[in-house]
Amino acid sequence: MNLFRKKPIQLLMKESGAKGASLRKELGAFDLTMLGIGAIIGTGIFVLTGVAAAEHAGPALVLSFVLSGLACVFAALCYAEFASTVPVSGSAYTYSYATFGELIAWILGWDLILEYGVASSAVAVGWSGYFQGLLSGFGIELPKALTSAYDPAKGTFIDLPAIIIVLFITFLLNLGAKKSARFNAVIVAIKVAVVLLFLAVGVWYVKPENWTPFMPYGFSGVATGAATVFFAYIGFDAVSTAAEEVRNPQRDMPIGIIVSLLVCTLLYIAVSLVLTGIVPYEQLNVKNPVAFALNYIHQDWVAGFISLGAIAGITTVLLVMMYGQTRLFYAISRDGLLPKVFARISPTRQVPYVNTWLTGAAVAVFAGIIPLNKLAELTNIGTLFAFITVSIGVLVLRKTQPDLKRAFRVPFVPVVPILAVLFCGYLVLQLPAMTWIGFVSWLLIGLVIYFIYGRKHSELNEMARTEEKAG
């Protein structure tokens, strides 16, 4: 059995267009751009900015965002080429199947399951915290036992708000991609308006002296800050999981991926400049730096809107992460590497309904019962691993299939893909050893599953057996 058998791109395209088994094509460039912004702007901009400025980068936080943004832009161009060339569900997993073969594809798919699954659970817990804070502002307090994950010492047993929001998002995803995209667009508009409100109010209180010393921790601090705030960019790759549901993927996928990333990068740079200009960086080591900055300049009325923006931001991140997870399960299951139940499509709404509810149930359990703490760090290493693989994949496919029709082509090949690998590789080396240990452990579990189940049930394996019998 060939562990590195590749899935022909023609076969991938044929499967995605199969009658009765394919997803409904109803998304456009605007929907994809809003999905990208929905996935990117969330807890990163409202939470991570303060810690990264206070502990790592100081006012040079803006350079940390530029460094992380560059890594993502280079990777995004590579994603855009693949998404326009192979517009099929599965994102980096599918691209790897066509480029590197089955085993590498499985490893990457298993890696993305970690990224989307853990991120969804962690984001749901974050949403719960902000929501409870909003309720307490109105004098409403939930019973202590229902406010957080299982911890008898603290008197908490289940995080009920986290479970409720996950089940609501699961219900919404089952209504179809277009309805989910409309809901996402409305919430994205709210959170972008809140970010712009912060900039419009805060810019008048900026004191340039707060930007000196500009780089108090040196460039190594900027680099560590970049690795920390990289979490704020996670999510644009989830746009590529929507490829099979886009009306004109060759044109719209590159637009959605690149425009959403550029918009978010500009907003991040502007927020970090204003934030460190308002408050001396040493004082920003708080959980809610944006709201803290507004309280610092006695603009408390705007701080209330920031809480609303944070809740809206986290809601759309959860929506897009869970959407990406379901489409990833769908693609892997269709290839036979996971049980076929994950690829079952609703005949009326044309969504993978069984897999969506199973995903929702799993995320709800993790978010509601298990304290996640450090697990969220694993999403960083998983995403960087995917970015590196996709960037190398562009170079490999250019060499092995030079005549393949590409609606979007990465400019300055091989420079841009190599820069993506170097930038992402540099950031991944900044992550702590425990994150690496957790990541490798997860991949080993994945390899056991592949050799016990996936290798035997692979669709390519079944096709090879059929050809042998026919021969």
Side-chain angles (χ1 to χ4, degrees), residues 66-373:
V66 170
L67 195 60
S68 278
L70 277 173
C72 288
V73 166
F74 294 139
L77 291 169
C78 297
Y79 265 88
E81 176 164 318
F82 264 119
S84 64
T85 308
V86 193
V88 179
S89 282
S91 182
Y93 157 77
T94 301
Y95 310 152
S96 293
Y97 214 153
T99 310
F100 300 111
E102 188 170 282
L103 181 61
I104 303 299
W106 167 259
I107 290 172
L108 200 56
W110 188 246
D111 160 49
L112 290 172
I113 287 171
L114 175 74
E115 177 196 334
Y116 293 135
V118 172
S120 296
S121 300
V123 167
V125 172
W127 186 95
S128 172
Y130 271 98
F131 182 69
Q132 289 177 54
L134 187 67
L135 288 181
S136 65
F138 291 100
I140 302 170
E141 296 287 341
L142 294 175
K144 179 106 176 144
L146 306 178
T147 58
S148 193
Y150 184 75
D151 189 350
K154 293 182 180 178
T156 60
F157 291 90
I158 192 168
D159 194 334
L160 186 61
I163 290 174
I164 290 172
I165 188 62
V166 168
L167 294 179
F168 170 73
I169 295 296
T170 305
F171 169 75
L172 189 64
L173 289 173
N174 261 303
L175 296 179
K178 191 64 181 177
K179 286 187 173 66
S180 300
R182 283 176 186 158
F183 173 81
N184 175 72
V186 171
I187 305 299
V188 164
I190 292 170
K191 70 176 175 182
V192 170
V194 167
V195 172
L196 293 176
L197 177 65
F198 166 73
L199 294 173
V201 172
V203 72
W204 303 102
Y205 295 88
V206 168
K207 295 179 179 177
E209 57 266 30
N210 285 335
W211 289 330
T212 52
F214 184 66
M215 206 182 289
Y217 302 103
F219 187 76
S220 63
V222 172
T224 307
T228 304
V229 300
F230 182 80
F231 186 80
Y233 284 102
I234 287 176
F236 83 82
D237 57 319
V239 176
S240 63
T241 64
E244 210 166 306
E245 293 162 276
V246 180
R247 289 188 297 269
N248 185 2
Q250 285 78 10
R251 181 183 74 92
D252 295 344
M253 290 303 300
I255 292 173
I257 291 171
I258 295 167
V259 172
S260 63
L261 185 59
L262 290 177
V263 167
C264 295
T265 302
L266 290 173
L267 287 175
Y268 281 165
I269 289 171
V271 167
S272 58
L273 277 172
V274 172
L275 189 66
T276 54
I278 293 174
V279 184
Y281 71 90
E282 306 99 319
Q283 298 180 35
L284 282 172
N285 194 6
V286 292
K287 289 182 179 179
N288 56 341
V290 178
F292 175 80
L294 291 165
N295 290 326
Y296 186 84
I297 56 175
H298 308 296
Q299 296 295 318
D300 300 340
W301 67 276
V302 188
F305 282 105
I306 293 300
S307 293
L308 177 65
I311 290 172
I314 297 169
T315 303
T316 57
V317 172
L318 182 59
L319 172 73
V320 182
M321 285 293 166
M322 287 185 62
Y323 173 85
Q325 180 76 292
T326 61
R327 283 0 182 221
L328 178 65
F329 275 137
Y330 167 74
I332 297 175
S333 174
R334 186 168 61 184
D335 291 333
L337 302 181
L338 283 175
K340 286 291 184 184
V341 67
F342 286 100
R344 197 170 294 167
I345 298 287
S346 164
T348 52
R349 295 177 180 142
Q350 285 181 272
V351 295
Y353 67 108
V354 177
N355 137 22
T356 301
W357 280 111
L358 288 172
T359 299
V363 171
V365 167
F366 276 92
I369 298 172
I370 301 171
L372 291 166
N373 298 337

Side-chain angles (χ1 to χ4, degrees), residues 5-8 10-12 14-15 97 102 334-336 340 455-471:
R5 54 196 167 205
K6 297 172 186 174
K7 193 159 193 180
Q10 294 77 7
L11 180 59
L12 286 167
K14 185 180 176 183
E15 285 179 348
Y97 214 153
E102 188 170 282
R334 186 168 61 184
D335 291 333
K340 286 291 184 184
R455 189 178 64 157
K456 296 174 185 174
H457 295 85
S458 162
E459 282 291 307
L460 289 188
N461 189 43
E462 293 294 329
M463 289 168 63
R465 281 179 183 168
T466 305
E467 286 173 10
E468 273 182 31
K469 287 178 183 176

